[in-house]
Protein backbone atom coordinates (compact mmCIF):
# COMPACT_ATOMS: atom_id res chain seq x y z
CA UNK A 1 0.00 0.00 0.00
CA UNK A 2 1.53 3.38 -0.98
CA UNK A 3 2.18 5.86 1.81
CA UNK A 4 -1.23 7.50 2.15
CA UNK A 5 -1.72 10.79 3.91
CA UNK A 6 -5.30 11.99 4.34
CA UNK A 7 -4.05 15.54 4.93
CA UNK A 8 -1.61 15.68 2.00
CA UNK A 9 -2.23 18.38 -0.63
CA UNK A 10 -3.30 15.71 -3.17
CA UNK A 11 -5.80 14.14 -0.77
CA UNK A 12 -7.25 17.54 0.10
CA UNK A 13 -7.49 18.63 -3.56
CA UNK A 14 -9.11 15.44 -4.83
CA UNK A 15 -10.10 13.00 -2.08
CA UNK A 16 -12.26 10.94 -4.42
CA UNK A 17 -9.37 10.34 -6.85
CA UNK A 18 -6.75 9.95 -4.13
CA UNK A 19 -8.62 7.17 -2.32
CA UNK A 20 -10.10 5.38 -5.38
CA UNK A 21 -7.45 2.65 -5.35
CA UNK A 22 -7.74 2.15 -1.61
CA UNK A 23 -11.52 1.84 -1.92
CA UNK A 24 -11.12 -0.87 -4.57
CA UNK A 25 -8.38 -2.84 -2.81
CA UNK A 26 -8.68 -2.26 0.96
CA UNK A 27 -12.01 -0.59 1.79
CA UNK A 28 -11.32 -1.03 5.51
CA UNK A 29 -7.77 0.17 6.08
CA UNK A 30 -5.70 0.99 9.18
CA UNK A 31 -3.90 4.33 8.78
CA UNK A 32 -0.85 4.24 11.07
CA UNK A 33 -0.09 7.95 10.57
CA UNK A 34 -3.40 9.16 12.03
CA UNK A 35 -3.98 5.97 14.04
CA UNK A 36 -7.44 5.61 12.54
CA UNK A 37 -9.39 3.24 10.33
CA UNK A 38 -10.33 4.59 6.90
CA UNK A 39 -13.55 3.11 5.52
CA UNK A 40 -14.04 4.07 1.91
CA UNK A 41 -16.45 1.78 0.04
CA UNK A 42 -20.16 2.59 -0.22
CA UNK A 43 -21.11 -0.86 1.08
CA UNK A 44 -18.87 -0.69 4.14
CA UNK A 45 -19.73 2.93 4.95
CA UNK A 46 -23.44 2.08 4.88
CA UNK A 47 -22.90 -1.00 7.03
CA UNK A 48 -20.87 1.01 9.57
CA UNK A 49 -23.42 3.85 9.74
CA UNK A 50 -26.05 1.25 10.67
CA UNK A 51 -23.88 -0.67 13.12
CA UNK A 52 -24.00 0.36 16.79
CA UNK A 53 -20.55 -1.08 17.42
CA UNK A 54 -19.35 2.10 15.72
CA UNK A 55 -19.99 4.59 18.49
CA UNK A 56 -20.73 8.27 17.88
CA UNK A 57 -19.54 9.17 21.35
CA UNK A 58 -16.03 10.41 20.78
CA UNK A 59 -16.18 13.57 22.85
CA UNK A 60 -16.67 12.19 26.35
CA UNK A 61 -13.67 9.83 26.10
CA UNK A 62 -11.61 12.82 24.90
CA UNK A 63 -12.73 14.92 27.88
CA UNK A 64 -11.88 12.10 30.29
CA UNK A 65 -8.50 11.42 28.68
CA UNK A 66 -7.21 14.90 27.86
CA UNK A 67 -9.23 17.51 29.73
CA UNK A 68 -9.75 16.14 33.21
CA UNK A 69 -6.38 16.93 34.77
CA UNK A 70 -5.70 20.00 36.95
CA UNK A 71 -3.83 21.69 34.06
CA UNK A 72 -6.75 21.53 31.67
CA UNK A 73 -7.94 24.95 30.53
CA UNK A 74 -11.47 25.37 31.96
CA UNK A 75 -12.68 27.20 28.85
CA UNK A 76 -11.45 24.41 26.57
CA UNK A 77 -13.18 21.93 28.84
CA UNK A 78 -16.39 23.96 28.72
CA UNK A 79 -16.27 24.03 24.89
CA UNK A 80 -15.96 20.24 24.82
CA UNK A 81 -18.71 19.83 27.39
CA UNK A 82 -21.05 21.79 25.10
CA UNK A 83 -20.04 19.50 22.22
CA UNK A 84 -20.56 16.41 24.36
CA UNK A 85 -24.22 17.44 24.66
CA UNK A 86 -24.71 17.43 20.87
CA UNK A 87 -27.06 14.66 19.78
CA UNK A 88 -24.69 13.80 16.95
CA UNK A 89 -22.20 12.55 19.55
CA UNK A 90 -24.76 10.69 21.66
CA UNK A 91 -25.60 7.00 21.83
CA UNK A 92 -29.01 5.44 22.29
CA UNK A 93 -31.22 5.91 24.23
CA UNK A 94 -29.95 9.43 25.09
CA UNK A 95 -29.66 10.25 21.38
CA UNK A 96 -33.22 9.24 20.60
CA UNK A 97 -34.64 11.34 23.42
CA UNK A 98 -32.71 14.48 22.37
CA UNK A 99 -33.52 14.04 18.70
CA UNK A 100 -37.20 13.51 19.44
CA UNK A 101 -37.49 16.64 21.63
CA UNK A 102 -35.56 18.71 19.10
CA UNK A 103 -37.74 17.39 16.27
CA UNK A 104 -40.81 18.79 18.04
CA UNK A 105 -39.38 22.28 17.42
CA UNK A 106 -37.37 21.76 14.23
CA UNK A 107 -40.25 20.32 12.20
CA UNK A 108 -40.51 19.85 8.42
CA UNK A 109 -43.50 22.24 8.51
CA UNK A 110 -41.52 24.95 10.31
CA UNK A 111 -38.81 24.61 7.68
CA UNK A 112 -41.21 24.62 4.73
CA UNK A 113 -42.67 27.88 6.13
CA UNK A 114 -39.28 29.53 5.54
CA UNK A 115 -39.40 29.07 1.77
CA UNK A 116 -40.51 32.59 0.85
CA UNK A 117 -38.07 34.22 3.26
CA UNK A 118 -35.18 32.09 1.93
CA UNK A 119 -36.07 33.03 -1.65
CA UNK A 120 -36.26 36.75 -0.82
CA UNK A 121 -32.88 36.54 0.93
CA UNK A 122 -31.31 34.75 -2.06
CA UNK A 123 -32.65 37.38 -4.45
CA UNK A 124 -31.38 40.29 -2.39
CA UNK A 125 -27.91 38.73 -1.94
CA UNK A 126 -27.74 38.01 -5.67
CA UNK A 127 -28.86 41.59 -6.43
CA UNK A 128 -26.07 42.94 -4.25
CA UNK A 129 -23.50 40.62 -5.89
CA UNK A 130 -24.65 41.57 -9.39
CA UNK A 131 -23.59 45.16 -8.76
CA UNK A 132 -19.96 43.96 -9.00
CA UNK A 133 -18.17 42.48 -12.00
CA UNK A 134 -16.48 39.82 -9.85
CA UNK A 135 -17.13 38.44 -6.38
CA UNK A 136 -16.45 35.57 -3.97
CA UNK A 137 -19.58 33.44 -4.22
CA UNK A 138 -19.06 32.03 -0.72
CA UNK A 139 -18.53 35.34 1.03
CA UNK A 140 -21.12 37.28 -0.95
CA UNK A 141 -24.00 34.83 -1.34
CA UNK A 142 -23.66 31.36 0.17
CA UNK A 143 -22.29 32.15 3.65
CA UNK A 144 -24.53 35.17 4.35
CA UNK A 145 -27.56 33.18 3.19
CA UNK A 146 -27.02 30.20 5.48
CA UNK A 147 -25.86 32.26 8.48
CA UNK A 148 -28.79 34.68 8.20
CA UNK A 149 -31.32 31.87 7.92
CA UNK A 150 -30.11 30.07 11.06
CA UNK A 151 -29.66 33.32 13.03
CA UNK A 152 -33.22 34.37 12.12
CA UNK A 153 -34.55 30.92 13.02
CA UNK A 154 -32.86 31.06 16.41
CA UNK A 155 -34.22 34.56 17.00
CA UNK A 156 -30.87 36.39 17.15
CA UNK A 157 -31.76 40.10 16.81
CA UNK A 158 -30.23 41.97 13.87
CA UNK A 159 -28.14 44.24 16.12
CA UNK A 160 -26.43 41.21 17.71
CA UNK A 161 -25.52 39.56 14.39
CA UNK A 162 -21.99 40.98 13.85
CA UNK A 163 -20.62 39.75 17.20
CA UNK A 164 -22.64 36.54 16.97
CA UNK A 165 -21.08 35.86 13.57
CA UNK A 166 -17.59 36.62 14.88
CA UNK A 167 -17.91 34.07 17.69
CA UNK A 168 -19.35 31.56 15.26
CA UNK A 169 -16.35 31.98 12.96
CA UNK A 170 -14.00 31.59 15.95
CA UNK A 171 -15.55 28.25 16.89
CA UNK A 172 -16.05 26.84 13.37
CA UNK A 173 -12.59 25.15 13.09
CA UNK A 174 -13.40 23.01 16.13
CA UNK A 175 -16.33 21.57 14.28
CA UNK A 176 -14.81 21.23 10.82
CA UNK A 177 -11.38 19.72 11.15
CA UNK A 178 -11.94 16.48 13.03
CA UNK A 179 -8.34 15.91 14.14
CA UNK A 180 -7.30 16.29 17.75
CA UNK A 181 -4.87 19.08 18.44
CA UNK A 182 -5.35 20.54 21.92
CA UNK A 183 -3.14 23.55 21.10
CA UNK A 184 -5.52 25.01 18.61
CA UNK A 185 -8.45 24.94 21.03
CA UNK A 186 -7.71 27.98 23.15
CA UNK A 187 -8.91 30.72 20.75
CA UNK A 188 -11.87 28.59 19.81
CA UNK A 189 -12.80 28.06 23.45
CA UNK A 190 -13.09 31.81 24.04
CA UNK A 191 -15.50 32.07 21.06
CA UNK A 192 -17.55 29.21 22.49
CA UNK A 193 -17.61 30.90 25.91
CA UNK A 194 -19.08 34.05 24.33
CA UNK A 195 -21.68 31.98 22.48
CA UNK A 196 -22.59 30.08 25.65
CA UNK A 197 -23.14 33.31 27.58
CA UNK A 198 -25.11 34.78 24.72
CA UNK A 199 -27.38 31.75 24.30
CA UNK A 200 -27.91 31.55 28.10
CA UNK A 201 -29.32 35.09 27.94
CA UNK A 202 -31.50 34.28 24.91
CA UNK A 203 -32.85 31.08 26.49
CA UNK A 204 -33.80 33.02 29.62
CA UNK A 205 -35.35 35.80 27.55
CA UNK A 206 -37.45 33.53 25.35
CA UNK A 207 -38.49 31.38 28.30
CA UNK A 208 -39.94 34.51 29.95
CA UNK A 209 -41.36 35.94 26.73
CA UNK A 210 -41.81 33.26 24.05
CA UNK A 211 -41.61 34.45 20.47
CA UNK A 212 -42.00 32.82 17.07
CA UNK A 213 -38.50 31.32 16.88
CA UNK A 214 -36.61 28.08 17.31
CA UNK A 215 -35.25 28.83 20.81
CA UNK A 216 -38.79 29.48 22.10
CA UNK A 217 -40.00 26.28 20.43
CA UNK A 218 -37.11 24.27 21.91
CA UNK A 219 -37.83 25.70 25.38
CA UNK A 220 -41.51 24.67 24.97
CA UNK A 221 -40.76 21.23 23.46
CA UNK A 222 -42.26 18.70 25.79
CA UNK A 223 -42.95 14.97 25.52
CA UNK A 224 -44.73 13.32 28.48
CA UNK A 225 -43.51 16.10 30.78
CA UNK A 226 -39.93 15.58 29.61
CA UNK A 227 -38.20 18.78 28.48
CA UNK A 228 -34.72 19.83 27.41
CA UNK A 229 -32.57 21.00 30.34
CA UNK A 230 -30.67 24.30 30.05
CA UNK A 231 -27.47 22.43 29.16
CA UNK A 232 -29.33 20.46 26.50
CA UNK A 233 -30.90 23.64 25.11
CA UNK A 234 -27.44 25.18 24.89
CA UNK A 235 -26.05 22.09 23.16
CA UNK A 236 -28.93 21.96 20.70
CA UNK A 237 -28.74 25.67 19.81
CA UNK A 238 -25.02 25.42 19.13
CA UNK A 239 -25.42 22.19 17.15
CA UNK A 240 -28.10 23.72 14.92
CA UNK A 241 -25.93 26.80 14.53
CA UNK A 242 -22.84 24.87 13.46
CA UNK A 243 -24.46 21.86 11.83
CA UNK A 244 -26.00 23.73 9.01
CA UNK A 245 -24.16 26.89 8.07
CA UNK A 246 -20.83 26.00 6.57
CA UNK A 247 -22.11 22.68 5.21
CA UNK A 248 -25.00 24.22 3.30
CA UNK A 249 -22.92 27.16 2.05
CA UNK A 250 -20.38 24.64 0.73
CA UNK A 251 -23.12 22.62 -0.94
CA UNK A 252 -24.19 25.76 -2.80
CA UNK A 253 -20.64 26.66 -3.87
CA UNK A 254 -19.59 23.08 -4.72
CA UNK A 255 -22.72 22.64 -6.83
CA UNK A 256 -22.25 25.90 -8.73
CA UNK A 257 -18.63 24.88 -9.32
CA UNK A 258 -19.80 21.51 -10.69
CA UNK A 259 -22.17 23.32 -13.05
CA UNK A 260 -19.44 25.68 -14.27
CA UNK A 261 -17.34 22.64 -15.10
CA UNK A 262 -20.19 20.80 -16.80
CA UNK A 263 -21.94 23.31 -19.08
CA UNK A 264 -24.15 20.62 -20.63
CA UNK A 265 -25.54 19.80 -17.16
CA UNK A 266 -26.02 23.47 -16.47
CA UNK A 267 -28.05 23.70 -19.70
CA UNK A 268 -30.24 20.80 -18.53
CA UNK A 269 -30.98 22.53 -15.25
CA UNK A 270 -31.56 25.99 -16.76
CA UNK A 271 -33.67 24.51 -19.58
CA UNK A 272 -35.93 22.74 -17.08
CA UNK A 273 -35.09 19.22 -18.38
CA UNK A 274 -34.12 18.28 -14.85
CA UNK A 275 -35.71 19.67 -11.70
CA UNK A 276 -33.61 21.04 -8.87
CA UNK A 277 -34.94 18.46 -6.39
CA UNK A 278 -33.49 15.61 -8.48
CA UNK A 279 -30.33 17.58 -9.28
CA UNK A 280 -29.64 18.31 -5.60
CA UNK A 281 -29.23 14.63 -4.74
CA UNK A 282 -26.67 14.30 -7.52
CA UNK A 283 -24.85 17.41 -6.29
CA UNK A 284 -24.75 15.80 -2.84
CA UNK A 285 -23.31 12.62 -4.31
CA UNK A 286 -20.86 14.24 -6.69
CA UNK A 287 -19.32 16.88 -4.41
CA UNK A 288 -21.28 16.92 -1.16
CA UNK A 289 -19.78 19.03 1.64
CA UNK A 290 -19.82 16.29 4.29
CA UNK A 291 -16.54 14.55 3.55
CA UNK A 292 -16.13 12.29 6.56
CA UNK A 293 -17.95 11.33 9.74
CA UNK A 294 -16.08 9.94 12.69
CA UNK A 295 -16.85 6.97 14.89
CA UNK A 296 -15.04 5.08 17.65
CA UNK A 297 -15.00 1.29 17.91
CA UNK A 298 -17.11 0.50 20.97
CA UNK A 299 -15.58 -2.98 21.40
CA UNK A 300 -13.15 -5.35 19.67
CA UNK A 301 -14.82 -6.74 16.54
CA UNK A 302 -14.34 -8.00 12.98
CA UNK A 303 -15.44 -5.73 10.16
CA UNK A 304 -14.69 -5.98 6.44
CA UNK A 305 -12.09 -8.66 7.10
CA UNK A 306 -10.22 -6.51 9.64
CA UNK A 307 -10.01 -6.63 13.41
CA UNK A 308 -11.03 -3.36 15.05
CA UNK A 309 -10.05 -2.72 18.68
CA UNK A 310 -12.16 -0.93 21.28
CA UNK A 311 -11.41 2.79 21.34
CA UNK A 312 -9.89 3.00 17.85
CA UNK A 313 -11.01 5.93 15.73
CA UNK A 314 -12.77 5.33 12.42
CA UNK A 315 -13.18 7.76 9.52
CA UNK A 316 -16.23 6.96 7.39
CA UNK A 317 -15.29 8.63 4.13
CA UNK A 318 -18.64 9.69 2.71
CA UNK A 319 -17.33 11.54 -0.33
CA UNK A 320 -15.17 8.60 -1.40
CA UNK A 321 -18.09 6.17 -0.90
CA UNK A 322 -20.26 8.46 -3.03
CA UNK A 323 -18.02 7.79 -6.05
CA UNK A 324 -17.88 4.02 -5.61
CA UNK A 325 -18.29 2.26 -9.00
CA UNK A 326 -19.88 -0.69 -7.19
CA UNK A 327 -22.76 1.57 -6.14
CA UNK A 328 -23.02 4.07 -9.02
CA UNK A 329 -22.71 3.75 -12.77
CA UNK A 330 -20.02 6.10 -14.12
CA UNK A 331 -19.50 7.60 -10.66
CA UNK A 332 -17.02 10.21 -11.87
CA UNK A 333 -19.64 11.80 -14.13
CA UNK A 334 -22.03 14.48 -12.96
CA UNK A 335 -25.45 13.35 -14.18
CA UNK A 336 -28.11 15.61 -12.77
CA UNK A 337 -30.93 13.39 -13.99
CA UNK A 338 -29.45 10.27 -12.38
CA UNK A 339 -32.51 9.96 -10.08
CA UNK A 340 -32.87 7.79 -6.95
CA UNK A 341 -29.28 8.44 -5.87
CA UNK A 342 -28.41 6.44 -2.75
CA UNK A 343 -25.71 8.82 -1.63
CA UNK A 344 -24.49 8.95 1.96
CA UNK A 345 -23.81 12.70 2.02
CA UNK A 346 -26.31 13.29 4.84
CA UNK A 347 -25.23 10.15 6.70
CA UNK A 348 -27.65 7.32 7.34
CA UNK A 349 -29.47 5.51 10.14
CA UNK A 350 -30.31 7.02 13.49
CA UNK A 351 -28.03 10.06 13.07
CA UNK A 352 -29.23 10.90 9.54
CA UNK A 353 -28.96 14.67 9.14
CA UNK A 354 -31.85 16.34 10.94
CA UNK A 355 -31.30 19.51 8.92
CA UNK A 356 -31.47 17.87 5.47
CA UNK A 357 -34.85 19.52 4.64
CA UNK A 358 -33.41 22.94 5.50
CA UNK A 359 -30.23 22.32 3.51
CA UNK A 360 -32.32 21.19 0.52
CA UNK A 361 -34.57 24.25 0.82
CA UNK A 362 -31.66 26.72 0.94
CA UNK A 363 -29.53 25.09 -1.76
CA UNK A 364 -32.62 24.41 -3.88
CA UNK A 365 -33.46 28.12 -3.81
CA UNK A 366 -29.90 29.43 -4.26
CA UNK A 367 -28.35 27.23 -6.98
CA UNK A 368 -30.91 27.76 -9.78
CA UNK A 369 -31.16 31.46 -8.97
CA UNK A 370 -27.39 31.93 -9.18
CA UNK A 371 -26.99 30.17 -12.53
CA UNK A 372 -30.05 31.85 -14.01
CA UNK A 373 -29.14 35.37 -12.88
CA UNK A 374 -25.53 35.00 -14.10
CA UNK A 375 -25.72 33.14 -17.43
CA UNK A 376 -22.06 33.93 -18.20
CA UNK A 377 -20.71 33.15 -14.75
CA UNK A 378 -17.18 31.73 -14.78
CA UNK A 379 -14.36 31.08 -12.33
CA UNK A 380 -11.93 33.97 -11.88
CA UNK A 381 -9.14 31.40 -11.55
CA UNK A 382 -8.81 27.63 -11.92
CA UNK A 383 -6.37 27.59 -9.00
CA UNK A 384 -8.89 26.61 -6.33
CA UNK A 385 -7.93 25.93 -2.75
CA UNK A 386 -9.87 23.27 -0.89
CA UNK A 387 -10.10 23.54 2.90
CA UNK A 388 -7.55 21.30 4.64
CA UNK A 389 -10.23 19.72 6.82
CA UNK A 390 -11.09 16.10 7.44
CA UNK A 391 -14.82 16.57 7.84
CA UNK A 392 -15.59 19.26 5.28
CA UNK A 393 -15.30 19.42 1.52
CA UNK A 394 -15.38 23.10 0.72
CA UNK A 395 -13.41 25.87 -0.94
CA UNK A 396 -11.53 28.57 0.93
CA UNK A 397 -13.06 31.08 -1.48
CA UNK A 398 -14.80 30.87 -4.82
CA UNK A 399 -13.98 33.91 -6.89
CA UNK A 400 -16.18 34.27 -9.94
CA UNK A 401 -16.62 36.74 -12.76
CA UNK A 402 -20.22 37.61 -13.55
CA UNK A 403 -19.33 37.93 -17.25
C1 LIG B 1 -25.63 20.21 2.88
C2 LIG B 1 -25.71 20.47 4.16
C3 LIG B 1 -25.53 19.43 5.22
C4 LIG B 1 -24.78 18.28 5.22
C5 LIG B 1 -23.90 17.75 4.11
C6 LIG B 1 -24.98 17.65 6.51
C7 LIG B 1 -24.41 16.44 6.86
C8 LIG B 1 -24.72 15.75 8.01
C9 LIG B 1 -24.25 14.42 8.31
C10 LIG B 1 -23.32 13.58 7.43
C11 LIG B 1 -24.78 14.05 9.51
C12 LIG B 1 -24.58 12.72 10.23
C13 LIG B 1 -23.43 12.78 11.19
C14 LIG B 1 -23.09 11.46 11.79
O1 LIG B 1 -23.69 10.42 11.46
O2 LIG B 1 -22.16 11.45 12.62
C15 LIG B 1 -25.56 15.17 9.98
C16 LIG B 1 -26.22 15.20 11.18
C17 LIG B 1 -26.89 16.33 11.64
N1 LIG B 1 -27.12 17.50 10.95
FE1 LIG B 1 -26.57 17.92 9.07
N2 LIG B 1 -25.81 18.42 7.26
C18 LIG B 1 -26.19 19.51 6.52
C19 LIG B 1 -27.04 20.52 6.90
C20 LIG B 1 -27.62 20.63 8.13
C21 LIG B 1 -28.47 21.71 8.57
C22 LIG B 1 -28.93 22.88 7.69
C23 LIG B 1 -28.77 21.49 9.87
C24 LIG B 1 -29.59 22.30 10.82
C25 LIG B 1 -29.63 23.59 10.91
C26 LIG B 1 -28.14 20.24 10.25
C27 LIG B 1 -28.25 19.63 11.48
C28 LIG B 1 -27.84 18.35 11.76
C29 LIG B 1 -28.09 17.70 13.04
C30 LIG B 1 -28.85 18.29 14.22
C31 LIG B 1 -27.50 16.44 12.96
C32 LIG B 1 -27.45 15.37 14.06
C33 LIG B 1 -28.51 14.36 13.85
C34 LIG B 1 -28.44 13.23 14.87
O3 LIG B 1 -27.39 13.01 15.46
O4 LIG B 1 -29.47 12.58 15.06
N3 LIG B 1 -27.46 19.74 9.16
N4 LIG B 1 -25.53 16.18 9.04
Amino acid sequence: MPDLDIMSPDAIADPQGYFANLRATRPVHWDPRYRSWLITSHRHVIAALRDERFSSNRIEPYITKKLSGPDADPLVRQAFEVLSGWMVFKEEPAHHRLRMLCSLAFTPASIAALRTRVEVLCDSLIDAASARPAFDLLRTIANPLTSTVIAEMLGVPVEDRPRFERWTLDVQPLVSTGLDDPNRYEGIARGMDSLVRYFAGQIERYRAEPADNLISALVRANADQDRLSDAELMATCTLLLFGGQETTANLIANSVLALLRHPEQRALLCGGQVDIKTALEEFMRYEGPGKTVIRVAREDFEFGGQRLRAGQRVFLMLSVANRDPEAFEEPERLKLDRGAVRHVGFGLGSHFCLGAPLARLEAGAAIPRIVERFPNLRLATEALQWLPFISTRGLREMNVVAG
Side-chain angles (χ1 to χ4, degrees), residues 8-35:
S8 67
D10 288 349
I12 294 299
D14 174 21
Q16 298 96 337
Y18 188 86
F19 292 105
N21 186 37
L22 186 71
R23 180 184 56 213
T25 54
R26 262 179 90 81
V28 180
H29 169 73
W30 175 251
D31 178 343
R33 188 189 305 255
Y34 293 100
R35 304 193 52 74

Side-chain angles (χ1 to χ4, degrees), residues 107-148:
T107 60
S110 69
I111 289 158
L114 297 173
R115 177 174 297 281
T116 309
R117 175 66 186 140
V118 168
E119 289 173 353
V120 167
L121 265 174
C122 282
D123 287 334
S124 69
L125 290 164
I126 291 173
D127 282 346
S130 68
R132 304 184 214 164
F135 54 90
D136 176 355
L137 188 106
L138 274 162
R139 202 151 49 95
T140 321
I141 301 175
N143 283 321
L145 172 69
T146 60
S147 58
T148 307

Side-chain angles (χ1 to χ4, degrees), residues 49 56 86-90 95 99 102 106 150 153 214 236 239-251 284 288-290 292-295 316 318 344-360 362-363:
L49 284 167
S56 296
W86 286 13
M87 73 179 84
V88 72
F89 298 130
K90 293 276 181 201
H95 165 260
R99 182 165 172 128
C102 181
F106 197 71
I150 196 67
M153 284 183 84
L214 194 52
T236 303
L239 170 57
L240 293 174
L241 176 64
F242 289 107
Q245 272 188 57
E246 203 196 20
T247 42
T248 311
N250 286 331
L251 174 60
M284 282 292 298
T292 303
V293 295
I294 302 176
R295 296 288 188 265
L316 304 181
L318 308 180
V344 286
F346 284 121
L348 200 77
S350 60
H351 288 280
F352 179 82
C353 177
L354 189 63
L358 178 59
R360 289 182 172 121
E362 292 180 88

Side-chain angles (χ1 to χ4, degrees), residues 68 116 122 155 164 181 190 210 213 258 262 272 314 355 361 363 380 384 397 401:
S68 295
T116 309
C122 282
F164 185 77
D181 171 8
R190 273 190 292 278
N213 61 41
H262 298 84
V314 184
L361 175 68
L384 299 173
E397 46 190 35
V401 179

Side-chain angles (χ1 to χ4, degrees), residues 2-3 8 36 45 51 65 102 104 125 162 174 180 201 220 255 271 299 310 318 380:
D3 184 26
S8 67
S36 304
V45 164
D51 187 333
K65 209 164 114 193
C102 181
L104 295 174
L125 290 164
L174 177 65
D180 305 336
R220 262 196 322 266
S255 307
E299 57 198 69
L318 308 180

Side-chain angles (χ1 to χ4, degrees), residues 119-228:
E119 289 173 353
V120 167
L121 265 174
C122 282
D123 287 334
S124 69
L125 290 164
I126 291 173
D127 282 346
S130 68
R132 304 184 214 164
F135 54 90
D136 176 355
L137 188 106
L138 274 162
R139 202 151 49 95
T140 321
I141 301 175
N143 283 321
L145 172 69
T146 60
S147 58
T148 307
V149 168
I150 196 67
E152 286 187 3
M153 284 183 84
L154 289 166
V156 178
V158 175
E159 63 274 16
D160 293 345
R161 299 271 167 81
R163 54 196 182 119
F164 185 77
E165 273 166 27
R166 203 170 52 246
W167 302 328
T168 310
L169 282 176
D170 286 347
V171 179
Q172 187 67 50
L174 177 65
V175 184
S176 309
T177 52
L179 283 181
D180 305 336
D181 171 8
N183 298 327
R184 71 186 166 85
Y185 291 140
E186 277 145 37
I188 292 171
R190 273 190 292 278
M192 183 68 104
D193 185 51
S194 306
L195 275 178
V196 163
R197 288 165 196 268
Y198 183 79
F199 274 129
Q202 295 298 93
I203 290 167
E204 213 179 291
R205 168 179 170 189
Y206 290 126
R207 178 173 282 135
E209 280 175 50
D212 182 15
N213 61 41
L214 194 52
I215 296 189
S216 305
L218 287 167
V219 168
R220 262 196 322 266
N222 167 354
D224 297 332
Q225 305 304 318
D226 186 16
R227 287 173 189 275
L228 295 169

Side-chain angles (χ1 to χ4, degrees), residues 351-379:
H351 288 280
F352 179 82
C353 177
L354 189 63
L358 178 59
R360 289 182 172 121
L361 175 68
E362 292 180 88
I367 298 163
R369 280 179 164 72
I370 293 169
V371 289
E372 276 157 27
R373 279 289 295 278
F374 302 108
N376 300 317
L377 194 73
R378 59 186 163 80
L379 287 174

